[in-house]
Amino acid sequence: MAQNEISPEVAQELAGIRESIDNIDAALIHMLAERFKFTQKVGKLKATNDLPPSDPAREARQVARLRALAEEANLDPTFAEKWFHFVVEEVIHHHEQARG
């Protein structure tokens, strides 16, 4: 077998693993969409009550919570924090848009 050839058994196993990854990716997208539905509600509530678009104290609590959850799940806590900051940046952008 040449160096770049894959045996049928390995190809089948690889395809099964990739199918699992694809299913998880789809679930993540749907969960993010659901999360953003709620953050949009928060943004509207903040806008109508003249509250600031960001809440640094809550964000700090969430970072600590998510880092702990990541450690429990054997996920790099730094990665979890980066993901959270990326999502929060988008949420704040939405909240600022809701303010008009």
Side-chain angles (χ1 to χ4, degrees), residues 42-56:
V42 169
K44 289 176 184 172
L45 189 61
K46 285 181 173 184
T48 58
N49 290 280
D50 200 30
L51 298 170
S54 71
D55 184 344

Side-chain angles (χ1 to χ4, degrees), residues 1 5-18:
M1 192 177 315
E5 289 184 36
I6 299 175
S7 72
E9 296 83 15
V10 171
Q12 184 177 4
E13 184 176 359
L14 186 58
I17 294 168
R18 286 179 172 163

Side-chain angles (χ1 to χ4, degrees), residues 45-71:
L45 189 61
K46 285 181 173 184
T48 58
N49 290 280
D50 200 30
L51 298 170
S54 71
D55 184 344
R58 168 149 168 81
E59 291 165 26
R61 289 190 307 272
Q62 284 295 92
V63 165
R65 178 178 162 271
L66 293 176
R67 286 185 67 91
L69 287 171
E71 287 179 17

Side-chain angles (χ1 to χ4, degrees), residues 10-91:
V10 171
Q12 184 177 4
E13 184 176 359
L14 186 58
I17 294 168
R18 286 179 172 163
E19 184 178 346
S20 294
I21 291 169
D22 292 349
N23 289 339
I24 292 168
D25 287 346
L28 287 169
I29 293 299
H30 287 281
M31 293 295 293
L32 281 170
E34 191 67 18
R35 187 186 195 287
F36 275 97
K37 287 179 189 174
F38 286 104
T39 60
Q40 287 172 352
K41 289 181 181 183
V42 169
K44 289 176 184 172
L45 189 61
K46 285 181 173 184
T48 58
N49 290 280
D50 200 30
L51 298 170
S54 71
D55 184 344
R58 168 149 168 81
E59 291 165 26
R61 289 190 307 272
Q62 284 295 92
V63 165
R65 178 178 162 271
L66 293 176
R67 286 185 67 91
L69 287 171
E71 287 179 17
E72 290 173 16
N74 294 318
L75 180 68
D76 178 3
T78 301
F79 171 78
E81 184 173 348
K82 287 178 185 177
W83 169 83
F84 177 72
H85 286 301
F86 176 77
V87 170
V88 166
E89 184 178 308
E90 187 65 21
V91 168

